[in-house]
């Protein structure tokens, strides 16, 4: 059996461990003589003191991502002992590292298909960091005309529609994201009309990852994974009508129509009607000179703009491989319908105040963001990040349910979710 040094977590030799243990016991005894008078209360006194300090340290480490000073840890411990763990968590979240480390590392994997936490800082990540800092209604992450950029004090190049230089400069120069980010709008910087903005889905970084090439289904799929906590397989429902599935999907893959009926249609029958919301979006770049699309930009066909191939506002990618099944659905506009309001996916908890249909990415994002599953997903992701594990038992599920209710009831403030989760896990 190994004993561990509390600071480094490295195994100590048995001799060193015994010596260190004797020192600790002697030190504890001296402290107890000063702190506790009645013998029966000695153990209680020692347990309460050590517990609150350890809990405070754990909360700070997990929320800020860096160790706190002795003064800060003591201040947090005092608050925990007084029953105000929420205030203790807020002290930890006041550290710039909460934004520069914890939130940055939490968000970055959402911005790319590889879920790479080491991807460069970009407008998607910076926008979520700013929203967390400013207590923005977190539903805006899928429907807001919102963007965060560095202020003039950073000396970074101006935000560009065609490159990521602004954010890479912030990162390379160690800019404090907790203070330099300022809120602006996508419509003022990207040329996309306000009514066509949809939170992080219409940032340049998201477009580069999920609108680049393909059929725009990737944007919908990764939005599900990142903000509804499930891949398409989790929402698969073969009972829904396949009438909105596009022409590019073969109805007899490999010559076997049963594959389409029992597998493909289960995902596409719900996805294709919803992904139609992205019909006017694309990510344009020079394929030959810039195959990775580093200098590309998000584009949107506004009223009066048409694609040369479709002669409509619909991007040509929605009509590709039409010979795979000529009788499939032909996308004529960006009208979307949520077929998942019927069948097994009613359990997602769709808002009864919304119609379940609309035009464009903003209203479709609103549909997702107002579901119960969206709120539960955010709380679950925070739980995994702060508690360093998945929910495991009834107690965890009950805690997530309570935190979710508070999240929804307090204007979808995600920072409160971090605080409440840190409180729940502080004793582990």
């Amino acid at each position: 059996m190994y004993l561990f040094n509390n600071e480094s977590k490295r195994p100590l030799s048995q001799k060193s461990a015994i010596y260190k243990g004797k020192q600790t016991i002697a030190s504890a005894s001296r402290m107890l003589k000063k702190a506790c008078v009645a013998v029966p209360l000695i153990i209680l006194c020692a347990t309460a003191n050590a517990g609150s300090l350890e809990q405070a340290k754990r909360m700070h480490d997990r929320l800020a991502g860096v160790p706190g000073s002795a003064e800060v840890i003591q201040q947090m411990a005092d608050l925990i002992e007084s029953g105000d763990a929420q205030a203790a968590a807020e002290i930890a979240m006041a550290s710039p590292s909460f934004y520069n480390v914890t939130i940055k590392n939490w968000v970055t994997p959402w911005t790319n298909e590889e879920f790479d936490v080491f991807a460069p800082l970009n407008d998607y990540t910076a926008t979520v960091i700013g929203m967390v800092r400013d207590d923005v209604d977190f539903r805006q992450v899928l429907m807001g005309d919102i963007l965060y950029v560095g202020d003039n004090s950073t000396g970074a190049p101006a935000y560009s529609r065609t490159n990521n230089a602004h954010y890479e400069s912030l990162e390379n120069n160690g800019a404090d994201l907790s203070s330099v980010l300022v809120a602006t709008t996508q419509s003022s910087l990207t040329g996309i009309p306000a009514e066509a903005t949809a939170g992080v889905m219409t940032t340049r970084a998201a477009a580069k990852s999920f609108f680049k090439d393909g059929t725009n289904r990737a944007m919908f799929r990764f939005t599900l994974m990142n903000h509804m906590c499930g891949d398409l397989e989790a929402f698969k429902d073969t009972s829904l009508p396949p009438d909105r599935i596009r022409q590019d999907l073969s109805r007899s893959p490999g010559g076997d129509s049963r594959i389409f009926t029992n597998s493909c249609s289960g995902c596409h029958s719900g996805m294709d009607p919803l992904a139609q919301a992205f019909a006017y979006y694309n990510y344009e770049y020079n394929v030959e000179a810039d195959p990775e699309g580093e200098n590309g930009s998000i584009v949107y066909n506004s009223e009066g703009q048409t694609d040369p191939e479709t002669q409509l506002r619909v991007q040509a990618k929605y009509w590709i491989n039409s010979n795979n099944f000529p009788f499939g659905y032909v996308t004529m506009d960006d009208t979307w319908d949520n077929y998942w309001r019927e069948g097994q996916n009613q359990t997602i908890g769709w808002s009864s105040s919304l119609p379940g249909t609309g035009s464009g990415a903003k209203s479709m994002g609103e549909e997702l963001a107002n579901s119960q599953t969206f709120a539960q997903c955010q709380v679950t992701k925070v739980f995994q990040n702060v508690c360093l594990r998945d929910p495991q038992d009834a107690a965890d599920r009950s805690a997530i349910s309570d935190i979710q209710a508070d999240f929804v009831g307090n204007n979808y403030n995600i920072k409160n979710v971090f605080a409440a989760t840190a409180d729940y896990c502080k004793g582990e």
Side-chain angles (χ1 to χ4, degrees):
M1 180 180 73
Y2 285 111
L3 296 175
F4 290 87
N5 181 306
N6 286 334
E7 296 299 322
S8 67
K9 302 300 181 184
R10 292 193 299 271
L12 295 167
S13 68
Q14 186 177 21
K15 183 176 180 180
S16 297
I18 293 172
Y19 176 73
K20 188 175 182 66
K22 288 180 177 178
Q23 285 186 315
T24 301
I25 293 171
S27 176
S29 297
R30 288 193 297 270
M31 291 177 64
L32 288 171
K33 288 178 181 179
K34 293 180 180 180
C36 303
V37 177
V39 173
L41 296 179
I42 290 178
I43 296 177
L44 293 176
C45 179
T47 301
N49 187 53
S52 60
L53 285 170
E54 183 180 358
Q55 290 171 2
K57 182 179 185 304
R58 182 176 293 112
M59 288 180 73
H60 195 283
D61 287 352
R62 293 183 178 182
L63 286 172
V66 295
S69 67
E71 182 181 358
V72 166
I73 297 301
Q74 185 62 61
Q75 186 180 2
M76 291 175 61
D78 292 342
L79 288 168
I80 291 171
E81 286 188 14
S82 69
D84 197 353
Q86 174 86 15
E90 289 173 358
I91 290 176
M93 292 188 296
S95 168
S97 293
F98 174 65
Y99 303 98
N100 294 316
V101 178
T102 303
I103 301 300
K104 181 176 180 290
N105 291 343
W106 184 55
V107 177
T108 300
W110 312 348
T111 70
N112 59 88
E113 291 190 356
E114 296 78 21
F115 299 105
D116 182 7
V117 70
F118 300 109
L121 181 70
N122 53 57
D123 56 353
Y124 187 141
T125 302
T127 295
V128 178
I129 292 172
M131 290 176 62
V132 174
R133 183 197 65 188
D134 294 346
D135 299 326
V136 175
D137 182 331
F138 206 69
R139 290 174 296 180
Q140 295 297 313
V141 79
L142 293 183
M143 59 185 183
D145 181 10
I146 188 168
L147 192 73
Y148 277 79
V149 299
D151 63 29
N152 293 333
S153 70
T154 65
Y159 177 89
S160 173
R161 295 179 55 194
T162 59
N163 63 59
N164 193 44
H166 176 77
Y167 296 98
E168 291 183 10
S169 175
L170 294 180
E171 186 168 48
N172 293 338
N173 291 308
D176 180 4
L177 302 178
S178 70
S179 62
V180 303
L181 292 177
V182 293
T184 183
T185 60
Q186 293 178 30
S187 56
S188 66
L189 293 178
T190 67
I192 297 176
E195 63 272 16
T197 58
V200 295
M201 293 191 291
T202 48
T203 58
R204 181 184 180 276
K208 179 178 179 293
S209 293
F210 312 127
F211 281 151
K212 180 174 174 282
D213 306 326
T215 60
N216 284 0
R217 290 185 179 104
M219 179 64 78
F220 183 75
R221 180 193 173 203
F222 281 88
T223 297
L224 286 184
M225 287 193 283
N226 292 325
H227 301 288
M228 301 289 279
C229 288
D231 203 345
L232 284 166
E233 192 70 20
F235 303 97
K236 181 178 178 180
D237 185 355
T238 57
S239 70
L240 300 176
D243 60 309
R244 293 283 286 277
I245 300 178
R246 297 183 221 163
Q247 295 172 307
D248 62 328
L249 191 68
S250 172
R251 270 47 171 190
S252 298
D256 189 348
S257 62
R258 292 173 299 178
I259 297 177
F260 170 80
T261 301
N262 297 323
S263 182
C264 304
S265 68
C267 294
H268 284 268
S269 59
M271 171 174 59
D272 281 16
L274 285 164
Q276 190 170 334
F278 304 126
Y280 300 162
Y281 298 87
N282 200 3
Y283 183 78
E284 291 188 350
Y285 65 104
N286 189 319
V287 179
E288 295 182 0
D290 181 25
E292 298 301 318
E294 296 297 333
N295 297 306
S297 61
I298 183 173
V299 296
Y300 172 81
N301 285 340
S302 300
E303 189 72 39
Q305 295 178 301
T306 58
D307 184 277
E309 293 187 39
T310 66
Q311 295 300 306
L312 300 169
R313 293 174 67 184
V314 176
Q315 298 285 348
K317 59 173 63 181
Y318 274 74
W319 285 16
I320 66 170
N321 301 322
S322 59
N323 289 331
N324 284 350
F325 188 72
F327 303 104
Y329 185 77
V330 180
T331 304
M332 305 297 287
D333 55 33
D334 66 348
T335 300
W336 61 268
D337 290 285
N338 186 3
Y339 281 24
W340 285 343
R341 280 181 172 256
E342 304 294 332
Q344 67 184 42
N345 287 314
Q346 293 180 69
T347 58
I348 289 173
W350 305 106
S351 172
S352 59
S353 65
L354 297 174
T357 185
S359 297
K362 183 183 287 290
S363 58
M364 196 275 288
E366 183 181 15
E367 174 84 343
L368 297 179
N370 281 279
S371 69
Q372 293 175 20
T373 295
F374 171 84
Q376 183 183 48
C377 177
Q378 313 316 308
V379 174
T380 301
K381 289 189 300 181
V382 172
F383 186 99
Q384 293 166 332
N385 186 269
V386 175
C387 299
L388 305 181
R389 61 179 178 81
D390 292 327
Q392 297 173 343
D393 52 29
D396 289 349
R397 290 188 290 272
S398 177
I400 286 176
S401 179
D402 291 343
I403 296 171
Q404 177 184 339
D406 183 71
F407 177 50
V408 173
N410 285 280
N411 200 37
Y412 291 80
N413 187 318
I414 197 71
K415 199 155 50 179
N416 287 346
V417 175
F418 274 90
T421 305
D423 179 18
Y424 176 75
C425 294
K426 69 180 183 297
E428 296 180 353

